[in-house]
Amino acid sequence: MVDIWIVVLRGVQYAAGALLLGLPAFMLYSQRAVASLELRWPRQVLIWAAAALAVAAPAALLAQTAMMAGSLNEAVKPASLAFMVTGMGLGKALMVRTLAAALALGATLLLRPGRPTWSVLTLLGVIVSASFAWTGHGAATEGAGHAVHLISDVVHAVAASIWIGALAAFAVLIGRRPSSNPSWDASVARSLTGFAGVGTAAVGALVVTGLINSAFLVGPSKALELWTSPYGDLLMIKLVLFGLMVGLAAVHRFRLAPLMARDAGQALPHLKKSLTVEFAVALAILAVIAVMGTLPPPAAL
């Protein structure tokens, strides 16, 4: 039962962390495109995401402690929690994540939306995403490759969060389109075009760091035997879903974004459907990763 809660809490943290980085980052690099829209919903979404993470991270700390201590009764004892927080890298990372989430919640509630606030929230989002590397397989690598694997894992998490956060932003923008508003359509078209460079960089980073991480977690000798382990099965599912996301992103970039600039009425139905599918696939990948984090990789078997 504890294992199930660990997976669920991992998934919640991944989704909330992606929003906490990807959404304020989107507001920064798309500021010129969306400034005239005077968007209010990003603040509301970030409040919920920060609150969810501020609850899920300490809950995950308790669940992890219960798994290591053998029971929930043992986990709630101060000595058990203190050992986890002071003696385990996983506990320290969860505490940092909790603090970053609490600071993000406070900043979102107290500061006026704008570039300074988005910058602060982006920085806190980077801290949250980076902390995932310390609670994953990257932190367990030993020897000379430890730093390389850990840094690669951090970059992987940051790039994924930027992409998923942008998807959430576009999905809400398209979903909340006011009827017959040419200026709104033009702003969204500019933001879609402007995301091309950021999205390409994120995909490139994910591919490169994914290969690096796989070299450590799978190893060349077992690359063709992924189906022999549960971790390998999930990795293949993740790769298929990632390929689907890349395909949909290419359709947005090269077909729907230009069409949006020419004829918003024709582009919007297709864009809304494909963005919904891509965001759903992204959430599915986060769920797969949440399970993968609890399984031994092939290289460890």
Side-chain angles (χ1 to χ4, degrees):
M1 186 64 179
V2 171
D3 290 345
I4 295 176
W5 277 110
I6 287 176
V7 171
V8 171
L9 290 170
R10 277 178 177 268
V12 171
Q13 290 176 86
Y14 291 154
L19 291 175
L20 280 180
L21 171 55
L23 190 50
F26 173 85
M27 296 303 295
L28 282 176
Y29 60 71
S30 300
Q31 186 173 30
R32 291 184 179 180
V34 301
S36 62
L37 301 181
E38 298 182 352
L39 303 176
R40 298 182 182 275
W41 56 263
R43 180 173 179 268
Q44 299 168 356
V45 172
L46 287 169
I47 288 173
W48 282 104
L53 186 59
V55 172
L61 175 63
L62 186 62
Q64 291 282 359
T65 306
M67 186 177 69
M68 297 185 67
S71 69
L72 186 59
N73 290 334
E74 287 294 323
V76 297
K77 293 181 179 179
S80 299
L81 288 172
F83 173 77
M84 177 66 79
V85 171
T86 60
M88 302 287 293
L90 183 147
K92 294 175 182 178
L94 284 167
M95 288 302 297
V96 169
R97 193 178 304 160
T98 301
L99 178 59
L103 290 173
L105 180 59
T108 309
L109 288 171
L110 299 176
L111 301 180
R112 176 178 294 183
R115 178 172 286 274
T117 301
W118 302 137
S119 299
V120 169
L121 291 174
T122 298
L123 176 59
L124 291 171
V126 169
I127 293 172
V128 168
S129 290
S131 74
F132 291 132
W134 272 270
T135 54
H137 292 302
T141 299
E142 299 178 349
H146 174 76
V148 174
H149 191 188
L150 190 59
I151 292 171
S152 175
D153 225 7
V154 169
V155 174
H156 198 81
V158 169
S161 294
I162 288 175
W163 189 2
I164 294 172
L167 279 177
F170 285 125
V172 177
L173 280 172
I174 298 299
R176 292 195 171 191
R177 175 187 183 259
S179 58
S180 184
N181 192 327
S183 62
W184 184 95
D185 295 339
S187 294
V188 174
R190 286 196 300 271
S191 65
L192 281 167
T193 302
F195 179 67
V198 176
T200 301
V203 171
L206 287 170
V207 171
V208 172
T209 56
L211 291 173
I212 294 173
N213 293 343
S214 294
F216 283 101
L217 298 176
V218 177
S221 63
K222 296 185 178 181
L224 300 178
E225 301 176 1
L226 290 178
W227 64 88
T228 61
S229 68
Y231 184 98
D233 292 338
L234 290 174
L235 178 57
M236 289 190 291
I237 293 173
K238 176 188 173 184
L239 291 175
V240 170
L241 293 175
F242 176 73
L244 178 57
M245 284 187 68
V246 172
L248 288 170
V251 172
H252 298 159
R253 169 68 180 89
F254 298 108
R255 181 174 178 270
L256 295 181
L259 181 61
M260 181 76 183
R262 299 192 309 268
D263 187 347
Q266 183 180 353
L268 278 170
H270 303 290
L271 192 57
K272 185 175 182 179
K273 183 182 299 183
S274 61
L275 280 170
T276 301
V277 172
E278 187 176 357
F279 188 59
V281 172
L283 294 179
I285 289 178
L286 293 182
V288 169
I289 295 172
V291 179
M292 290 174 67
T294 65
L295 300 174
L301 298 175

